[in-house]
Amino acid sequence: MPLTFLAADHDSAGHAPEEALPHAEQDQWRRPYRPGPWRVAAAAVMLLIAAYMLISAMIIIMAGSPAGAGATLGAAVAAIVFALRLLRMGIWVSARGLRRVGLLRTRTLRWREITRVSTVQQPVKWLGTPRSVQGQALRIERRRGEPLRTLLTDHNADFLARPEAFDRAADVLEAWAAEHC
């Protein structure tokens, strides 16, 4: 018995539409790759810790200590914000430019400020630690000033043990730069 599913590229009878699906708007900020398993695992652990802290805050408030419950609730909210920011970190692109979302701040460069985006072989940090290994990095050169700090590497939390995902993301970012620079 075949199971039919409604999807964007099929109608209720399971047939593909005759016309092509519309493309997403290029004015929207989008990440050209999926977050890696290391980043998702770290965020999941942080959300699990936040859940335990929320339960602890509930127990503390029932015990009659509002100050302790408030502090625990505040720590849980901070852990949730940290996990969400961790998932949002990365490189985002749109027709307006390239955006690097970090843990604490976001930096946006217009396409006219960028000279070239290229993949280079160089020593890169392993999962952001001080340990360096030989790998690939995405280098962004600006029109004025020195090149930006390395944005993507094949050994960061999004691409460790997924070299084909790094290659696809680098190709997409280089294509965006070639189209808009």
Short mmCIF file of all heavy atoms in Angstrom, two decimals, residues 63-119:
data_model
loop_
_atom_site.label_atom_id
_atom_site.label_comp_id
_atom_site.label_asym_id
_atom_site.label_seq_id
_atom_site.Cartn_x
_atom_site.Cartn_y
_atom_site.Cartn_z
N ALA A 63 9.81 25.13 47.82
CA ALA A 63 10.41 25.03 49.15
C ALA A 63 10.37 26.36 49.88
O ALA A 63 10.63 26.41 51.09
CB ALA A 63 11.84 24.54 49.04
N GLY A 64 10.08 27.44 49.16
CA GLY A 64 9.90 28.72 49.82
C GLY A 64 11.08 29.67 49.73
O GLY A 64 11.18 30.58 50.55
N SER A 65 11.95 29.52 48.76
CA SER A 65 13.08 30.42 48.63
C SER A 65 13.01 31.13 47.26
O SER A 65 13.61 30.67 46.29
CB SER A 65 14.39 29.64 48.74
OG SER A 65 15.48 30.48 48.50
N PRO A 66 12.29 32.26 47.20
CA PRO A 66 12.14 32.93 45.91
C PRO A 66 13.45 33.49 45.35
O PRO A 66 13.64 33.53 44.14
CB PRO A 66 11.15 34.06 46.17
CG PRO A 66 10.83 34.04 47.61
CD PRO A 66 11.52 32.90 48.25
N ALA A 67 14.36 33.90 46.19
CA ALA A 67 15.63 34.44 45.70
C ALA A 67 16.44 33.35 45.01
O ALA A 67 17.01 33.57 43.93
CB ALA A 67 16.43 35.06 46.84
N GLY A 68 16.51 32.17 45.62
CA GLY A 68 17.24 31.05 45.02
C GLY A 68 16.58 30.59 43.73
O GLY A 68 17.26 30.25 42.75
N ALA A 69 15.25 30.60 43.72
CA ALA A 69 14.53 30.19 42.52
C ALA A 69 14.76 31.19 41.39
O ALA A 69 14.92 30.82 40.24
CB ALA A 69 13.04 30.06 42.81
N GLY A 70 14.80 32.48 41.75
CA GLY A 70 15.05 33.50 40.74
C GLY A 70 16.44 33.37 40.13
O GLY A 70 16.62 33.51 38.92
N ALA A 71 17.43 33.09 40.98
CA ALA A 71 18.79 32.91 40.47
C ALA A 71 18.88 31.68 39.57
O ALA A 71 19.52 31.71 38.51
CB ALA A 71 19.77 32.80 41.63
N THR A 72 18.24 30.60 39.98
CA THR A 72 18.26 29.38 39.18
C THR A 72 17.50 29.58 37.87
O THR A 72 17.94 29.12 36.81
CB THR A 72 17.64 28.21 39.97
OG1 THR A 72 18.31 28.10 41.23
CG2 THR A 72 17.77 26.90 39.22
N LEU A 73 16.39 30.28 37.93
CA LEU A 73 15.63 30.58 36.72
C LEU A 73 16.45 31.46 35.78
O LEU A 73 16.46 31.23 34.56
CB LEU A 73 14.31 31.27 37.07
CG LEU A 73 13.38 31.58 35.90
CD1 LEU A 73 12.92 30.29 35.24
CD2 LEU A 73 12.21 32.40 36.37
N GLY A 74 17.15 32.44 36.32
CA GLY A 74 18.00 33.29 35.50
C GLY A 74 19.12 32.51 34.82
O GLY A 74 19.43 32.72 33.64
N ALA A 75 19.72 31.58 35.56
CA ALA A 75 20.78 30.74 34.98
C ALA A 75 20.21 29.84 33.88
O ALA A 75 20.86 29.60 32.86
CB ALA A 75 21.44 29.91 36.06
N ALA A 76 19.00 29.32 34.07
CA ALA A 76 18.37 28.47 33.05
C ALA A 76 18.08 29.27 31.79
O ALA A 76 18.32 28.79 30.67
CB ALA A 76 17.08 27.85 33.60
N VAL A 77 17.59 30.49 31.94
CA VAL A 77 17.32 31.34 30.78
C VAL A 77 18.63 31.66 30.05
O VAL A 77 18.69 31.63 28.81
CB VAL A 77 16.57 32.62 31.20
CG1 VAL A 77 16.53 33.64 30.07
CG2 VAL A 77 15.16 32.27 31.64
N ALA A 78 19.69 31.93 30.81
CA ALA A 78 21.00 32.20 30.19
C ALA A 78 21.49 30.97 29.43
O ALA A 78 22.05 31.09 28.33
CB ALA A 78 22.02 32.61 31.25
N ALA A 79 21.27 29.77 29.96
CA ALA A 79 21.68 28.54 29.28
C ALA A 79 20.88 28.33 28.00
O ALA A 79 21.43 27.91 26.97
CB ALA A 79 21.52 27.34 30.20
N ILE A 80 19.60 28.66 28.01
CA ILE A 80 18.76 28.53 26.82
C ILE A 80 19.21 29.53 25.75
O ILE A 80 19.36 29.18 24.57
CB ILE A 80 17.27 28.71 27.16
CG1 ILE A 80 16.79 27.53 28.01
CG2 ILE A 80 16.43 28.86 25.91
CD1 ILE A 80 15.43 27.73 28.62
N VAL A 81 19.47 30.76 26.14
CA VAL A 81 19.94 31.77 25.19
C VAL A 81 21.29 31.36 24.61
O VAL A 81 21.53 31.49 23.40
CB VAL A 81 20.02 33.16 25.88
CG1 VAL A 81 20.77 34.16 25.03
CG2 VAL A 81 18.62 33.66 26.19
N PHE A 82 22.18 30.83 25.45
CA PHE A 82 23.48 30.36 24.97
C PHE A 82 23.32 29.25 23.95
O PHE A 82 23.97 29.24 22.90
CB PHE A 82 24.33 29.88 26.15
CG PHE A 82 25.64 29.28 25.75
CD1 PHE A 82 26.69 30.08 25.36
CD2 PHE A 82 25.81 27.90 25.76
CE1 PHE A 82 27.90 29.52 24.97
CE2 PHE A 82 27.02 27.34 25.39
CZ PHE A 82 28.06 28.15 24.99
N ALA A 83 22.43 28.28 24.21
CA ALA A 83 22.21 27.16 23.28
C ALA A 83 21.65 27.65 21.95
O ALA A 83 22.08 27.20 20.88
CB ALA A 83 21.29 26.13 23.91
N LEU A 84 20.71 28.58 22.00
CA LEU A 84 20.13 29.10 20.76
C LEU A 84 21.16 29.90 19.97
O LEU A 84 21.21 29.81 18.74
CB LEU A 84 18.89 29.94 21.06
CG LEU A 84 17.70 29.18 21.63
CD1 LEU A 84 16.58 30.14 21.98
CD2 LEU A 84 17.24 28.12 20.66
N ARG A 85 21.98 30.67 20.66
CA ARG A 85 23.02 31.43 19.98
C ARG A 85 24.07 30.51 19.37
O ARG A 85 24.58 30.75 18.29
CB ARG A 85 23.64 32.42 20.96
CG ARG A 85 24.56 33.41 20.35
CD ARG A 85 23.82 34.35 19.43
NE ARG A 85 24.78 35.29 18.85
CZ ARG A 85 24.46 36.29 18.10
NH1 ARG A 85 23.21 36.53 17.81
NH2 ARG A 85 25.38 37.08 17.60
N LEU A 86 24.36 29.42 20.09
CA LEU A 86 25.31 28.43 19.58
C LEU A 86 24.81 27.81 18.28
O LEU A 86 25.59 27.59 17.34
CB LEU A 86 25.51 27.34 20.64
CG LEU A 86 26.63 26.35 20.42
CD1 LEU A 86 27.97 27.05 20.48
CD2 LEU A 86 26.58 25.27 21.49
N LEU A 87 23.51 27.55 18.19
CA LEU A 87 22.94 27.00 16.96
C LEU A 87 22.92 28.02 15.83
O LEU A 87 22.96 27.65 14.66
CB LEU A 87 21.52 26.49 17.22
CG LEU A 87 21.42 25.20 18.01
CD1 LEU A 87 19.97 24.89 18.32
CD2 LEU A 87 22.07 24.06 17.27
N ARG A 88 22.84 29.29 16.17
CA ARG A 88 22.77 30.34 15.16
C ARG A 88 24.13 30.75 14.60
O ARG A 88 24.22 31.40 13.57
CB ARG A 88 22.09 31.55 15.77
CG ARG A 88 21.22 32.21 14.80
CD ARG A 88 20.32 33.19 15.38
NE ARG A 88 20.33 34.38 14.55
CZ ARG A 88 19.87 34.41 13.33
NH1 ARG A 88 19.37 33.35 12.78
NH2 ARG A 88 19.91 35.51 12.63
N MET A 89 25.19 30.39 15.28
CA MET A 89 26.53 30.78 14.85
C MET A 89 26.84 30.24 13.46
O MET A 89 26.41 29.16 13.10
CB MET A 89 27.58 30.23 15.84
CG MET A 89 27.64 30.96 17.14
SD MET A 89 28.75 30.20 18.33
CE MET A 89 30.28 30.17 17.46
N GLY A 90 27.60 31.01 12.70
CA GLY A 90 28.02 30.57 11.38
C GLY A 90 28.02 31.70 10.38
O GLY A 90 27.98 32.88 10.74
N ILE A 91 28.08 31.34 9.12
CA ILE A 91 28.11 32.30 8.02
C ILE A 91 26.73 32.33 7.37
O ILE A 91 26.17 31.28 7.05
CB ILE A 91 29.16 31.90 6.97
CG1 ILE A 91 30.52 31.76 7.61
CG2 ILE A 91 29.19 32.91 5.84
CD1 ILE A 91 31.04 33.01 8.24
N TRP A 92 26.19 33.50 7.20
CA TRP A 92 24.89 33.71 6.56
C TRP A 92 25.10 34.61 5.36
O TRP A 92 25.93 35.52 5.40
CB TRP A 92 23.91 34.34 7.55
CG TRP A 92 23.63 33.49 8.73
CD1 TRP A 92 24.47 33.22 9.77
CD2 TRP A 92 22.44 32.76 9.00
NE1 TRP A 92 23.86 32.38 10.66
CE2 TRP A 92 22.62 32.08 10.22
CE3 TRP A 92 21.23 32.61 8.32
CZ2 TRP A 92 21.64 31.27 10.77
CZ3 TRP A 92 20.26 31.81 8.88
CH2 TRP A 92 20.46 31.15 10.10
N VAL A 93 24.36 34.38 4.29
CA VAL A 93 24.49 35.18 3.07
C VAL A 93 23.12 35.67 2.62
O VAL A 93 22.09 35.06 2.92
CB VAL A 93 25.15 34.39 1.91
CG1 VAL A 93 26.59 34.11 2.20
CG2 VAL A 93 24.39 33.12 1.62
N SER A 94 23.13 36.77 1.92
CA SER A 94 21.94 37.28 1.24
C SER A 94 22.44 38.17 0.11
O SER A 94 23.64 38.33 -0.09
CB SER A 94 21.04 38.07 2.20
OG SER A 94 21.49 39.39 2.34
N ALA A 95 21.53 38.76 -0.61
CA ALA A 95 21.92 39.65 -1.70
C ALA A 95 22.59 40.91 -1.16
O ALA A 95 23.33 41.57 -1.88
CB ALA A 95 20.69 40.03 -2.52
N ARG A 96 22.38 41.22 0.10
CA ARG A 96 22.98 42.41 0.70
C ARG A 96 24.43 42.20 1.11
O ARG A 96 25.19 43.15 1.19
CB ARG A 96 22.17 42.85 1.91
CG ARG A 96 20.80 43.36 1.51
CD ARG A 96 20.06 43.82 2.72
NE ARG A 96 19.85 42.72 3.65
CZ ARG A 96 18.67 42.30 4.05
NH1 ARG A 96 17.60 42.91 3.64
NH2 ARG A 96 18.56 41.30 4.88
N GLY A 97 24.81 40.97 1.45
CA GLY A 97 26.18 40.75 1.88
C GLY A 97 26.38 39.42 2.58
O GLY A 97 25.60 38.50 2.45
N LEU A 98 27.47 39.39 3.34
CA LEU A 98 27.87 38.19 4.06
C LEU A 98 27.88 38.54 5.54
O LEU A 98 28.41 39.58 5.94
CB LEU A 98 29.28 37.79 3.60
CG LEU A 98 29.82 36.50 4.15
CD1 LEU A 98 30.42 35.70 3.02
CD2 LEU A 98 30.87 36.80 5.19
N ARG A 99 27.29 37.70 6.36
CA ARG A 99 27.17 37.95 7.79
C ARG A 99 27.82 36.83 8.57
O ARG A 99 27.53 35.66 8.34
CB ARG A 99 25.69 38.07 8.16
CG ARG A 99 25.45 38.32 9.62
CD ARG A 99 23.99 38.57 9.89
NE ARG A 99 23.66 39.91 9.41
CZ ARG A 99 22.44 40.40 9.39
NH1 ARG A 99 21.43 39.67 9.77
NH2 ARG A 99 22.23 41.62 8.96
N ARG A 100 28.71 37.19 9.49
CA ARG A 100 29.34 36.22 10.38
C ARG A 100 28.70 36.38 11.74
O ARG A 100 28.82 37.40 12.40
CB ARG A 100 30.83 36.48 10.50
CG ARG A 100 31.49 35.50 11.43
CD ARG A 100 32.92 35.90 11.72
NE ARG A 100 33.49 35.04 12.70
CZ ARG A 100 33.43 35.25 14.01
NH1 ARG A 100 32.82 36.30 14.48
NH2 ARG A 100 33.99 34.41 14.84
N VAL A 101 27.97 35.35 12.16
CA VAL A 101 27.31 35.36 13.45
C VAL A 101 28.19 34.60 14.43
O VAL A 101 28.42 33.40 14.26
CB VAL A 101 25.90 34.72 13.37
CG1 VAL A 101 25.25 34.68 14.74
CG2 VAL A 101 25.04 35.47 12.38
N GLY A 102 28.70 35.30 15.41
CA GLY A 102 29.52 34.70 16.45
C GLY A 102 28.72 34.48 17.70
O GLY A 102 27.51 34.75 17.75
N LEU A 103 29.38 34.03 18.74
CA LEU A 103 28.68 33.77 20.00
C LEU A 103 28.22 35.07 20.65
O LEU A 103 27.10 35.14 21.15
CB LEU A 103 29.59 32.99 20.95
CG LEU A 103 28.94 32.49 22.22
CD1 LEU A 103 27.78 31.55 21.89
CD2 LEU A 103 29.95 31.79 23.09
N LEU A 104 29.04 36.09 20.60
CA LEU A 104 28.70 37.33 21.28
C LEU A 104 28.36 38.49 20.35
O LEU A 104 27.68 39.42 20.76
CB LEU A 104 29.85 37.76 22.20
CG LEU A 104 30.17 36.77 23.32
CD1 LEU A 104 31.37 37.26 24.12
CD2 LEU A 104 28.96 36.57 24.22
N ARG A 105 28.84 38.44 19.11
CA ARG A 105 28.52 39.54 18.22
C ARG A 105 28.38 39.06 16.78
O ARG A 105 28.86 37.99 16.41
CB ARG A 105 29.55 40.65 18.32
CG ARG A 105 30.90 40.30 17.84
CD ARG A 105 31.84 41.46 17.99
NE ARG A 105 33.05 41.16 17.26
CZ ARG A 105 33.99 42.00 17.03
NH1 ARG A 105 33.87 43.23 17.44
NH2 ARG A 105 35.07 41.64 16.36
N THR A 106 27.77 39.93 15.98
CA THR A 106 27.52 39.64 14.58
C THR A 106 28.18 40.73 13.75
O THR A 106 28.11 41.91 14.08
CB THR A 106 26.00 39.62 14.31
OG1 THR A 106 25.42 38.59 15.09
CG2 THR A 106 25.71 39.38 12.85
N ARG A 107 28.82 40.31 12.67
CA ARG A 107 29.48 41.26 11.77
C ARG A 107 28.97 41.04 10.36
O ARG A 107 28.97 39.92 9.87
CB ARG A 107 30.98 41.06 11.82
CG ARG A 107 31.71 42.05 10.98
CD ARG A 107 33.16 42.02 11.23
NE ARG A 107 33.77 43.10 10.48
CZ ARG A 107 35.03 43.33 10.46
NH1 ARG A 107 35.84 42.57 11.16
NH2 ARG A 107 35.51 44.31 9.75
N THR A 108 28.55 42.12 9.72
CA THR A 108 28.02 42.05 8.36
C THR A 108 28.92 42.84 7.42
O THR A 108 29.30 43.96 7.72
CB THR A 108 26.59 42.62 8.30
OG1 THR A 108 25.77 41.91 9.23
CG2 THR A 108 26.01 42.50 6.92
N LEU A 109 29.27 42.22 6.30
CA LEU A 109 30.03 42.89 5.24
C LEU A 109 29.17 42.95 3.99
O LEU A 109 28.57 41.95 3.59
CB LEU A 109 31.31 42.11 4.92
CG LEU A 109 32.42 42.13 5.94
CD1 LEU A 109 33.53 41.20 5.50
CD2 LEU A 109 32.96 43.53 6.10
N ARG A 110 29.11 44.11 3.39
CA ARG A 110 28.42 44.24 2.10
C ARG A 110 29.28 43.57 1.03
O ARG A 110 30.49 43.48 1.15
CB ARG A 110 28.22 45.71 1.76
CG ARG A 110 27.42 46.44 2.79
CD ARG A 110 26.09 46.78 2.19
NE ARG A 110 25.25 47.45 3.16
CZ ARG A 110 24.08 46.97 3.53
NH1 ARG A 110 23.64 45.86 3.03
NH2 ARG A 110 23.34 47.62 4.38
N TRP A 111 28.65 43.12 -0.03
CA TRP A 111 29.39 42.46 -1.09
C TRP A 111 30.40 43.41 -1.72
O TRP A 111 31.47 42.98 -2.16
CB TRP A 111 28.46 41.89 -2.14
CG TRP A 111 27.70 40.69 -1.68
CD1 TRP A 111 26.35 40.60 -1.53
CD2 TRP A 111 28.23 39.42 -1.31
NE1 TRP A 111 26.02 39.34 -1.07
CE2 TRP A 111 27.15 38.60 -0.93
CE3 TRP A 111 29.52 38.89 -1.25
CZ2 TRP A 111 27.32 37.29 -0.51
CZ3 TRP A 111 29.68 37.58 -0.82
CH2 TRP A 111 28.59 36.80 -0.47
N ARG A 112 30.11 44.69 -1.76
CA ARG A 112 31.05 45.63 -2.37
C ARG A 112 32.31 45.82 -1.52
O ARG A 112 33.30 46.34 -2.00
CB ARG A 112 30.37 46.97 -2.63
CG ARG A 112 29.93 47.71 -1.39
CD ARG A 112 29.29 49.05 -1.76
NE ARG A 112 28.79 49.71 -0.59
CZ ARG A 112 27.53 49.67 -0.19
NH1 ARG A 112 26.64 48.98 -0.88
NH2 ARG A 112 27.15 50.30 0.90
N GLU A 113 32.28 45.41 -0.25
CA GLU A 113 33.46 45.49 0.62
C GLU A 113 34.37 44.28 0.47
O GLU A 113 35.47 44.28 1.00
CB GLU A 113 33.03 45.60 2.08
CG GLU A 113 32.22 46.83 2.41
CD GLU A 113 31.69 46.79 3.82
OE1 GLU A 113 32.30 46.14 4.68
OE2 GLU A 113 30.65 47.42 4.07
N ILE A 114 33.91 43.25 -0.25
CA ILE A 114 34.65 42.00 -0.37
C ILE A 114 35.29 41.92 -1.75
O ILE A 114 34.64 42.15 -2.77
CB ILE A 114 33.71 40.80 -0.14
CG1 ILE A 114 33.15 40.84 1.28
CG2 ILE A 114 34.43 39.49 -0.41
CD1 ILE A 114 32.07 39.83 1.54
N THR A 115 36.58 41.58 -1.78
CA THR A 115 37.29 41.42 -3.04
C THR A 115 37.17 40.01 -3.56
O THR A 115 36.84 39.77 -4.71
CB THR A 115 38.78 41.74 -2.86
OG1 THR A 115 38.90 43.03 -2.34
CG2 THR A 115 39.52 41.64 -4.18
N ARG A 116 37.44 39.04 -2.67
CA ARG A 116 37.48 37.65 -3.12
C ARG A 116 37.17 36.71 -1.96
O ARG A 116 37.53 36.95 -0.82
CB ARG A 116 38.86 37.34 -3.68
CG ARG A 116 38.97 36.00 -4.32
CD ARG A 116 40.29 35.85 -5.00
NE ARG A 116 41.36 35.79 -4.01
CZ ARG A 116 42.50 35.17 -4.20
NH1 ARG A 116 42.75 34.60 -5.35
NH2 ARG A 116 43.42 35.14 -3.27
N VAL A 117 36.51 35.61 -2.28
CA VAL A 117 36.26 34.52 -1.35
C VAL A 117 36.89 33.28 -1.96
O VAL A 117 36.59 32.92 -3.09
CB VAL A 117 34.75 34.29 -1.11
CG1 VAL A 117 34.51 33.11 -0.22
CG2 VAL A 117 34.10 35.54 -0.53
N SER A 118 37.80 32.63 -1.22
CA SER A 118 38.50 31.47 -1.77
C SER A 118 38.79 30.45 -0.68
O SER A 118 38.83 30.77 0.50
CB SER A 118 39.81 31.90 -2.43
OG SER A 118 40.65 32.52 -1.47
N THR A 119 38.99 29.22 -1.11
CA THR A 119 39.36 28.13 -0.21
C THR A 119 40.86 27.95 -0.29
O THR A 119 41.43 27.87 -1.38
CB THR A 119 38.65 26.83 -0.63
OG1 THR A 119 37.25 27.08 -0.69
CG2 THR A 119 38.91 25.73 0.36
#
